[in-house]
Every structure is written in C-alpha cells, then in structure tokens.
C-alpha cells in the first residue's frame, strides 16, 4: 500500500502552529521553468490545476497564484523544473542600473533579518550584461545594502532559512525570483540509482503526456534503463502526485507560506491516489543490473506492483495484444564505438515495431538517422532540448482502438 511520506519530519521539526492562520493569502506572479519545446504541456498542467497563465516564453510559464498555489504547483506539476516567486523586474544595460534596480526591490517583504540569501543562478540572453559571476556579485551587494537600511544592521549572520534567488536577463530585462523548490522538481525522490544516461523524470512525464496514452492502454519501454518512462506512467495511472515524497525550500518560509498549506496539499494528494486499476506497463533492458535498478526505483515510487520489468533484448520485443504504445529513450551513441551499432539497433527496433499489431511508437533521440534506420517516416518530429543536447521526439502513431459501446 502506498503511504504518504513527504518528509513530515521536516514539516514538523519546528512548531509554527501559532502562526498557521495569521498569514494572509497574497497573490504572486509564479514562474515555472521547463524544458525548451514543452511549454504547451506545462501550460496545460497549470491551467488544469486551476491557475491563470499570464505569459508563455521559451522555457518558462508565468502564472498567478497564492501561497496555496506555491505548494500545489510544487507537489502536483509533473513537467516543471521548479517554482519561483517573482520578486521584481526592471531594465538594466549597465551594472549601475543592475545595482539600483535590485536595490529597489522590496526584499524585506520576503527575506527576514536572519535569512541566508544568495543569487544561486544568473542566465543572460541577448543582453549587454552577460557575466553570471558579475551579475551575482552586484545583485548580492545591492540586496545587502537594501536590507541593511531596512533592518538597521551592518552585518548579516545569515543563520536562518535559505532564500536562493534566480535571475534571468532577456534583452536587458532583468527578472529576479525566489526559488521555492530547491532541488529540481525532476528529483521525485524515487530514483536513487540511475542508468548511464538517464532521462529526467519531468522530461519523461512530459513526453508521455505528448502521446495519446491512457492508463487503460499498454505501454512498453524496450530500453527502460532505470525505469523512468514506466515509473512516470505508473504514477500517472495511480494519480500519485510527483512531489509527494520530497521536501521543498519554501517549507522553511512560514511567514510567506503557512505550513498548513503544505499539510493540506499533501492530504489532497493522498486522497487522489488510486492503486486499484489494472495496468499493463512493462520495461525491458538488455542489462540485468539495470532491470534490478528499475525495480528498486519502482518500489521506492510505490508503483512496483503496477510494472513488469524484465531482462530482454530489443530483438525479443513482442506483444500479443493490439493498440499498445512503445515509448522509449534508445541509446544515442554518445561514444564513438557505440555509434557503429546504432543503425542496426534502430533497425531492429523498427522491425519489431512493424511486427506489432496496430501499435504506436514514440521515441526521443539525438541520433540523426533514426527514421532511416527504423525504416519509417515519423508523422511528427518535435525538437526538444534534453539539457544542452538537441534531441528529437519522433512520433509514429498507430491505429486508434474502436470506441467502446457504452450503451446498456
């Protein structure tokens, strides 16, 4: 039986009961970064959670939400990288403008006098200011100057809760935001062991969501590695929120996010779990060690009974039923010696796919000759950045199953 394990020790380690009901629900602009090319999937997720999207940009979505939204988006969103609270924005073409713009942001509304604050990352695109280290240093100095004046202190102990800040510069427009998440949201908490080149959990979830797969359909990953695709599919099938089993930086900010909101969000997630439905989700790998790793990761995710993992070469891929899905991340051939075998490997995948009855194939790869080797032209080919690597999501949809007769 799946149990709710969202680090209650962290939630309860400090007693904030006296202030749980004292913090007003202020509205924020929340920023959710994601993989480039998958903005539409994340936008749909945010809308489905009940929040208003106000801006869609390359690699990030901005939406409106309160403290509850911070908790729910961290716990429920499957395709986001993290959740940021926008602190302020301004134009800066010089370091002096950067300093003054940063200093004008009311940081005291978010960071207490004992808070530990720093610019954890600065990204600059098409801007006159482009040095991350200089941007980080100047903004930190400006924040210190602002908070010194507000708190009337000369030295910050920074012994309290962490307040990491992320900064984006696009065409000289600076956006500064508090990182509520901490470790990226792709860290679900279940993948303790990984393959040589694992696909990120949030990317795996997004790719599944780009397909028509539903929990009553067959899903097979013939190159499952550490099990990301099958596990993410099982989490969706069981309606298990991806962030249930981890902690977040903003849990340490009761003055901004009442702890009651975290408790309520975890309770909401727990009530939605359904492990009773039948699933046919399978993962194969030629490496017996990877199969063991995938099984352990599935156990940690609470979905081990929903997935069948097996040592099996792609040449042995078969299934007796119709209308299934192959969703997979085959080898790309990062090493020179591996590239020699790619054409044969993808050719075998293509042969086994063609032998299946009305199945669909969806695969992400950086191998530029994938279609030629498979022997089929993809119906769609979506460019997606997996980290800094440009990859393609090839889509070979099969026939749709006949509609079920719902009449008596």
């Amino acid at each position: 039986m799946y149990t709710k394990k969202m680090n209650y020790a962290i939630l309860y380690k400090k007693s904030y009961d006296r202030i749980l009901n004292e913090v007003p629900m202020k509205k924020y602009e929340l920023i959710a970064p994601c993989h480039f090319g998958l903005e539409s999937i994340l936008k749909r997720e945010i809308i489905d959670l009940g929040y208003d999207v106000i801006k869609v940009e390359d690699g990030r979505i901005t939406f409106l939400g309160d403290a509850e939204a911070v908790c729910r988006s961290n716990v429920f969103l499957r395709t986001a990288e993290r959740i940021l609270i926008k602190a302020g924005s301004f134009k800066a073409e010089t370091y002096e403008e950067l300093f003054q713009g940063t200093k004008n942001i009311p940081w005291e509304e978010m960071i207490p006098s004992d808070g530990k604050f720093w610019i954890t990352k600065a990204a600059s695109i098409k801007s006159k200011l482009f040095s991350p280290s200089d941007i980080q240093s100047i903004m930190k100095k400006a924040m210190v100057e602002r908070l010194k004046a507000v708190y009337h202190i000369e030295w910050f102990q920074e012994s309290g809760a962490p307040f990491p800040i992320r900064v984006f510069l696009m065409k000289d427009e600076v956006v500064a935001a508090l990182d509520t998440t901490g470790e990226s949201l792709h860290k679900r908490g279940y993948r303790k062991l990984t393959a040589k080149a694992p696909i990120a959990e949030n990317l795996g979830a997004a790719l599944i969501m780009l397909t028509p797969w539903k929990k009553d359909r067959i899903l097979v990953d013939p190159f499952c590695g550490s099990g990301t695709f099958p596990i993410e599919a099982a989490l969706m099938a069981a309606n298990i929120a991806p962030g249930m089993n981890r902690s977040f930086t903003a849990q340490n900010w009761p003055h901004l996010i009442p702890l009651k909101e975290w408790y309520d969000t975890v309770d909401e997630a727990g009530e939605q779990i359904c492990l009773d439905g039948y699933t046919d989700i399978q993962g194969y790998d030629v490496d017996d060690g990877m199969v063991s790793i995938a099984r352990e990761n599935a156990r940690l995710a609470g979905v081990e009974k929903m997935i069948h993992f097996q040592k099996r070469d792609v040449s042995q891929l078969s299934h007796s039923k119709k209308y299934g899905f192959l969703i997979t991340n085959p080898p790309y051939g990062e090493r020179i010696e591996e590239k020699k075998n790619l054409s044969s490997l993808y050719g075998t995948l293509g042969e086994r796919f063609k032998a299946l009855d009305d199945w669909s194939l969806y695969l992400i790869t950086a191998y530029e000759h994938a279609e030629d080797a498979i022997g089929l032209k993809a119906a769609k080919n979506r460019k997606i950045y997996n980290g800094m690597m440009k990859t393609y999501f090839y889509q070979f949809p099969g026939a749709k199953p006949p509609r079920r007769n719902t009449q008596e």
Side-chain angles (χ1 to χ4, degrees), residues 84-140:
L84 311 172
I85 297 176
K86 183 177 176 180
S89 61
F90 54 91
K91 188 170 183 177
E93 297 182 356
T94 67
Y95 284 117
E96 176 61 24
E97 289 175 340
L98 179 67
F99 182 91
Q100 294 300 333
T102 304
K103 189 177 177 182
N104 287 336
I105 294 173
W107 296 105
E108 67 277 3
E109 294 179 4
M110 292 167 276
I111 301 174
S113 59
D114 67 343
K116 179 182 179 182
F117 56 96
W118 72 103
I119 313 298
T120 183
K121 185 175 182 180
S124 178
I125 300 174
K126 299 179 180 178
S127 298
K128 294 180 177 62
L129 305 180
F130 55 85
S131 167
S133 59
D134 289 339
I135 292 167
Q136 290 168 300
S137 175
I138 287 169
M139 292 187 72
K140 169 75 176 192

Side-chain angles (χ1 to χ4, degrees), residues 45 76-80 188 202 205 209 235-236 239-242:
E45 273 203 285
F76 285 104
L77 291 179
R78 298 184 186 276
T79 63
R188 317 295 206 206
N202 58 344
M209 293 165 73
L235 290 174
M236 292 180 196
N239 212 20
I240 296 173

Side-chain angles (χ1 to χ4, degrees), residues 181-202:
T181 302
E183 276 198 309
S184 171
L185 287 176
H186 82 267
K187 298 285 186 71
R188 317 295 206 206
Y190 67 74
R191 199 164 72 178
K192 303 300 183 185
L193 302 167
T194 64
K196 180 173 58 180
I199 191 166
E201 293 90 321
N202 58 344

Side-chain angles (χ1 to χ4, degrees), residues 296-368:
E296 175 61 10
N297 288 339
R299 185 191 68 79
L300 292 170
V303 293
E304 71 275 19
K305 294 182 180 178
M306 301 176 65
I307 308 170
H308 173 68
F309 289 108
Q310 183 180 351
K311 179 184 177 182
R312 184 185 289 193
D313 189 84
V314 67
S315 63
Q316 299 173 305
L317 174 62
S318 65
H319 203 291
S320 60
K321 294 183 180 179
K322 300 178 68 170
Y323 310 119
F325 285 75
L326 296 177
I327 304 179
T328 192
N329 174 37
Y332 300 170
E334 292 89 349
R335 298 177 182 176
I336 294 175
E337 61 269 23
E338 292 174 342
K339 285 186 180 293
K340 305 176 202 172
N341 303 319
L342 283 187
S343 180
S344 174
L345 183 71
Y346 280 70
T348 301
L349 173 62
E351 290 172 5
R352 299 317 307 151
F353 169 57
K354 293 169 192 172
L356 295 167
D357 196 354
D358 287 326
W359 277 51
S360 301
L361 168 62
Y362 295 84
L363 65 91
I364 182 171
T365 182
Y367 179 45
E368 59 271 25

Side-chain angles (χ1 to χ4, degrees), residues 51-249:
Y51 303 114
D52 294 328
V53 170
I54 59 176
K55 188 184 292 185
V56 178
E57 302 169 275
D58 288 344
R60 64 187 190 201
I61 308 291
T62 302
F63 62 105
L64 292 176
D66 54 15
E68 179 186 73
V70 172
C71 303
R72 296 184 72 240
S73 53
N74 270 303
V75 170
F76 285 104
L77 291 179
R78 298 184 186 276
T79 63
E81 293 278 348
R82 59 188 66 252
I83 303 301
L84 311 172
I85 297 176
K86 183 177 176 180
S89 61
F90 54 91
K91 188 170 183 177
E93 297 182 356
T94 67
Y95 284 117
E96 176 61 24
E97 289 175 340
L98 179 67
F99 182 91
Q100 294 300 333
T102 304
K103 189 177 177 182
N104 287 336
I105 294 173
W107 296 105
E108 67 277 3
E109 294 179 4
M110 292 167 276
I111 301 174
S113 59
D114 67 343
K116 179 182 179 182
F117 56 96
W118 72 103
I119 313 298
T120 183
K121 185 175 182 180
S124 178
I125 300 174
K126 299 179 180 178
S127 298
K128 294 180 177 62
L129 305 180
F130 55 85
S131 167
S133 59
D134 289 339
I135 292 167
Q136 290 168 300
S137 175
I138 287 169
M139 292 187 72
K140 169 75 176 192
K141 290 177 183 176
M143 292 176 67
V144 168
E145 287 302 308
R146 167 90 188 197
L147 294 176
K148 276 169 62 176
V150 172
Y151 291 124
H152 306 292
I153 53 178
E154 289 298 317
W155 178 258
F156 289 90
Q157 296 285 339
E158 298 197 60
S159 58
F163 291 85
I165 294 140
R166 292 188 169 240
V167 180
F168 309 95
L169 281 78
M170 170 63 79
K171 297 180 179 178
D172 301 319
E173 182 71 19
V174 181
V175 176
L178 283 179
D179 180 3
T180 74
T181 302
E183 276 198 309
S184 171
L185 287 176
H186 82 267
K187 298 285 186 71
R188 317 295 206 206
Y190 67 74
R191 199 164 72 178
K192 303 300 183 185
L193 302 167
T194 64
K196 180 173 58 180
I199 191 166
E201 293 90 321
N202 58 344
L203 176 55
L207 296 179
I208 294 170
M209 293 165 73
L210 278 173
T211 78
W213 178 81
K214 303 295 179 187
K215 63 182 179 182
D216 60 345
R217 305 281 293 276
I218 304 161
L219 187 152
V220 176
D221 181 355
F223 303 96
C224 74
S226 53
T228 303
F229 277 129
I231 293 171
E232 289 297 319
L235 290 174
M236 292 180 196
N239 212 20
I240 296 173
M244 280 193 70
N245 294 323
R246 54 161 291 166
S247 59
F248 304 97
T249 299

